[in-house]
Amino acid sequence: MTTQTALPAMQESLLDVAGRKIFVAETGDGPPVLLLHGGGPGASGVSNYGRNIAELAKEYRVIVPDLPGYGRSTKGVDGADPFGHLAEGIRGLMDQLGLDKAHLVGNSYGGACALRLALDTPDRVDRMVLMGPGGIGTTRALPTPGLTSLLNYYSGDGPSRLKLEKFIRNHLVFNAAEVPDSVIDERYRASIDPEVVAAPPLRRPSGPNALRTLWKMDFTRDKRLTRLPVPTLVLWGAADKVNRPEGGRMLAERMPNCDLYLVANTGHWVQWERAELFNRLCADFLAGRR
């Protein structure tokens, strides 16, 4: 089991981005790297990358935002185009930080955010690492049990610690015994923020334009993918129960500069479950050493 790494001192800011607040923490010196977290209940930037920040900060300026709708950032995500909404927020954050270009690292929902940002404005992205990103082949198969569990968290009888624990232990990771109760407790407390409950940032598209939204949220339907020049490393847990590992092959077959690494005995949380491997591969790839 990988142990939790002590976090370095981080500078925290709450920046105004087009009238909305985005919380960001940063540390380290070097080329800028934005770490974009996943979309599960109670997720936030620093908590999702707690096993990676210190190691990557040895070589990079590590910038860790709470995505729009999460953590200490303004709540609410545009349900008609959620990936575009997240990408616009992060691009605005880059503007506020004076970054013309940066590396992007994204897990799940954050991976979808990174990919959409790169497709819309490839000149803003240097290199990209995606871990089990959302939006890959989602119109080509039914949702996985893990994704269904995630999307049902705020529906029915509403959020509960038991619901969250079942999602994390049964669907998020390969080895449930590795997840301490404290992680679940922290995520649960964040997930029941009244503002989040009122406007869950990740939910099924609905309404008359739901099919159009679903189509837009499947990157394999986006013709720009085959022309995307950004060097990309895709890391996918072979036992991912949230986003199907076959998505990695879909990206590798479509993207002209995409390396794929399938991680054995690993679920949806590669950067947490296999932190040492992830930190090494990520640092080397972003530096152009592999």
Side-chain angles (χ1 to χ4, degrees), residues 174-185:
F174 177 75
N175 186 355
E178 286 197 356
V179 183
D181 287 341
S182 59
V183 168
I184 297 170
D185 292 337

Side-chain angles (χ1 to χ4, degrees), residues 12-275:
E12 298 183 351
S13 306
L14 193 62
L15 301 179
D16 187 283
V17 178
R20 294 166 62 87
K21 300 295 185 183
I22 294 185
F23 172 81
V24 62
E26 61 175 288
T27 187
D29 294 306
V33 179
L34 274 77
L35 305 184
L36 308 177
H37 65 81
S44 64
V46 172
S47 68
N48 271 215
Y49 288 100
R51 294 180 170 182
N52 319 114
I53 292 169
E55 193 64 30
L56 293 176
K58 294 177 181 178
E59 192 171 351
Y60 299 97
R61 177 186 174 189
V62 178
I63 301 165
V64 193
D66 289 345
L67 290 178
Y70 290 87
R72 285 182 260 182
S73 295
T74 298
K75 304 306 182 287
V77 171
D78 180 5
D81 184 17
F83 296 163
H85 180 92
L86 296 180
E88 184 178 359
I90 296 304
R91 187 164 44 245
L93 175 65
M94 291 173 62
D95 293 341
Q96 288 294 316
L97 293 171
L99 301 176
D100 292 329
K101 202 169 190 176
H103 298 304
L104 299 182
V105 176
N107 174 228
S108 195
Y109 212 21
C113 169
L115 189 50
R116 176 63 182 271
L117 196 158
L119 287 168
D120 289 346
T121 48
D123 58 305
R124 303 296 300 272
V125 184
D126 194 346
R127 286 178 166 241
M128 186 162 56
V129 178
L130 307 175
M131 301 88 76
I136 311 301
T138 45
T139 62
R140 302 176 190 275
L142 293 173
T144 63
L147 184 57
T148 298
S149 173
L150 191 159
L151 292 171
N152 287 342
Y153 181 71
Y154 288 101
S155 62
D157 55 358
S160 70
R161 190 189 182 284
L162 179 60
K163 242 182 177 180
L164 184 59
E165 181 170 20
K166 285 182 176 179
F167 167 69
I168 290 175
R169 296 199 188 281
N170 297 343
H171 300 293
L172 187 65
V173 298
F174 177 75
N175 186 355
E178 286 197 356
V179 183
D181 287 341
S182 59
V183 168
I184 297 170
D185 292 337
E186 179 185 359
R187 291 281 293 259
Y188 176 62
R189 284 192 296 271
S191 78
I192 56 173
D193 179 322
E195 288 188 281
V196 176
V197 175
L202 180 62
R203 45 187 159 180
R204 289 184 179 87
S206 59
N209 295 319
L211 287 178
R212 182 183 303 172
T213 298
L214 284 168
W215 198 269
K216 189 185 297 184
M217 291 177 69
D218 185 349
F219 292 111
T220 67
R221 305 288 185 182
D222 193 326
K223 295 179 180 179
R224 297 176 298 173
L225 198 62
T226 62
R227 305 188 300 270
L228 186 62
V230 176
T232 302
L233 172 63
V234 174
L235 300 170
W236 215 302
D240 192 333
K241 296 178 182 178
V242 177
N243 292 332
R244 290 183 176 86
E246 298 89 89
R249 176 59 62 186
M250 290 182 184
L251 288 176
E253 289 173 348
R254 288 167 173 79
M255 298 174 70
N257 298 308
C258 178
D259 293 338
L260 173 62
Y261 194 113
L262 199 62
V263 188
N265 303 316
T266 305
H268 188 56
W269 224 6
V270 174
Q271 81 279 7
W272 193 88
E273 297 177 71
R274 298 292 297 278

